[in-house]
Structures are given as C-alpha cells and as structure tokens.
Amino acid sequence: KQEVTQIPAALSVPEGENLVLNCSFTDSAIYNLQWFRQDPGKGLTSLLLIQSSQREQTSGRLNASLDKSSGRSTLYIAASQPGDSATYLCAGSTNAGKSTFGDGTTLTVKP
Amino acid sequence: NAGVTQTPKFQVLKTGQSMTLQCAQDMNHEYMSWYRQDPGMGLRLIHYSVGAGITDQGEVPNGYNVSRSTTEDFPLRLLSAAPSQTSVYFCASSRGTLAKNIQYFGAGTRLSVL
C-alpha cells in the first residue's frame, strides 16, 4: 500500500526566502506525482504534475522534482510571498486510477 | 467553463438520514473520484469512475454508494449517515488516466452528522 509523507507539517518563513517542501512515498511504482495548493476552506488547485519519466517541472517561481529511486519529491518555492501562504499537498498516482495524498505542509510567509 | 461543481456547500444531517452529494463537471473528463478530508488523515479516496457506467471502490468505500450514468455527473450517496461521516468531501475529475493527467477539484461539501 502506497504511503505518502510530508515533512514538516508546518513551516513559517519571512517574505523573500527560498524554501523547499518535502514529499516521500513508499511505492516507487507511481506513474506521476502531483503537487497541489489548498487555501483555508477551499478546494485543491493543481500546481505541478511530474510524470514518472520526468525529473522535474517548473512553473514560474515553483520547481518540483521527482526521484523515484529514493521515493522523494520536492517543491521549491523561490522568493516567497505572503500570498504563497497555504497548505501544500503532494499526491502519488498509480496507473490503476488511484491517488494517495500526503497530509500536507502548511506554509506561512510573514511580511 | 465552471470546471467541477459540488452541491451543496454545507449540510447538516441527523444520524440515520440519507442524502446525495452532487458533483458535475463540464470538461468532458472520463475520470471522476470522491475523496473525504479529515484532520490528520489527509484526503482518502472513497470511490472512483474511469468512465460512464464504470465505478470502483477506493480506500474507504463503506457507507457510500456511487453511480455514473453520464460522463458529466458522479453523485455520492450516503445511505444512513453516521457521525463518523462528518468530513469535508471533495469531488475531482481528470481527462484520462491519473497516470498522465491533472486532477481538478471542486470546492468541497462540508458535512456534519449529528
């Protein structure tokens, strides 16, 4: 059974700092790894999707990497802003049509 | 383009009542799924569908039924509500298999069972 772990559970940084969020998974047979953002009381918004054949994906100030051999993915946020404050979740998906989510990292960026 | 629409946004039920959570998508997506989100337990898959007429169980299917008579709609039925079903429910859709496609989420239904 796939298990996904995100550490730390919460992170607070000053504005402008670069930061890395971590995601670990136990089953390397994932087909993709997706990072989401969730604002309080809202649904999930997809940020980046990394296919199993890819090593990383970039969108603006966000960069996500995937290392299947070590069972790890990271989300790098450059020059953080208060508007980046949210909970970030990662999810590994199998070809069978199932996703397993981590519990998320709650990020607070202080002005 | 509304994306994934969930209704209602909030619901309070008494133990033993039944209800249907509605989910509709207008993106012609084949794959749809239901999750519940509980503090400290992340999102857990309840049921999913890879196309009209096809459904399958996820991680926590007990107490829930689904059907997929059209591509657009994927309702979730609570047969006899229990306090343990108090949660936030999310519906999601994807163009094809999760192997290659982004999941799009609705805004959620917040359910309390008293």
Side-chain angles (χ1 to χ4, degrees), chain A residues 12-30:
Chain A
S12 181
V13 300
E15 182 177 4
E17 190 164 298
N18 302 327
L19 61 101
V20 174
L21 305 181
N22 297 297
C23 173
S24 300
F25 47 92
T26 56
D27 186 353
S28 62
I30 63 169

Side-chain angles (χ1 to χ4, degrees), chain A residues 1 31-32 34 36 38 40-46 49 51-52 89 91 93-103, chain B residues 31 35 37 40-45 48 50 56-59 90 97-108 110:
Chain A
K1 176 185 174 184
Y31 269 69
N32 69 43
Q34 193 166 358
F36 295 87
Q38 185 176 28
K42 304 293 185 181
L44 281 69
T45 300
S46 179
L49 172 71
Q51 306 284 1
S52 61
L89 298 100
S93 297
T94 69
N95 196 38
K98 298 182 179 181
S99 287
T100 302
F101 282 78
D103 288 345
Chain B
Y31 180 93
Y35 296 88
Q37 185 176 36
M41 303 190 76
L43 277 85
R44 293 179 291 170
L45 182 65
Y48 67 102
V50 298
D56 205 347
Q57 295 182 350
E59 182 183 356
F90 288 102
T97 67
L98 292 186
K100 296 183 178 181
N101 296 284
I102 294 170
Q103 286 195 83
Y104 296 87
F105 280 77
R110 284 146 186 82

Side-chain angles (χ1 to χ4, degrees), chain B residues 14 18 23 31 41 44 49-50 67 70 73 82 84 100 106 112:
Chain B
K14 295 181 179 178
S18 62
C23 176
Y31 180 93
M41 303 190 76
R44 293 179 291 170
S49 169
V50 298
S67 59
T70 67
D73 301 299
S84 61
K100 296 183 178 181
S112 293

Side-chain angles (χ1 to χ4, degrees), chain A:
Chain A
K1 176 185 174 184
Q2 176 76 273
E3 293 182 2
V4 178
T5 304
Q6 291 186 248
I7 295 174
L11 180 65
S12 181
V13 300
E15 182 177 4
E17 190 164 298
N18 302 327
L19 61 101
V20 174
L21 305 181
N22 297 297
C23 173
S24 300
F25 47 92
T26 56
D27 186 353
S28 62
I30 63 169
Y31 269 69
N32 69 43
L33 193 292
Q34 193 166 358
W35 283 92
F36 295 87
R37 168 183 174 140
Q38 185 176 28
D39 293 292
K42 304 293 185 181
L44 281 69
T45 300
S46 179
L47 297 173
L48 289 165
L49 172 71
I50 312 175
Q51 306 284 1
S52 61
S53 58
Q54 299 172 323
R55 297 282 296 191
E56 65 179 72
Q57 282 286 333
T58 298
S59 176
R61 294 183 294 109
L62 305 180
N63 176 277
S65 68
L66 176 63
D67 184 344
K68 289 182 60 177
S69 62
S70 67
R72 293 185 61 188
S73 176
T74 61
L75 179 67
Y76 174 82
I77 303 177
S80 58
Q81 303 170 358
D84 294 331
S85 298
T87 297
Y88 291 81
L89 298 100
C90 65
S93 297
T94 69
N95 196 38
K98 298 182 179 181
S99 287
T100 302
F101 282 78
D103 288 345
T105 295
T106 298
L107 172 66
T108 302
V109 181
K110 297 181 178 179

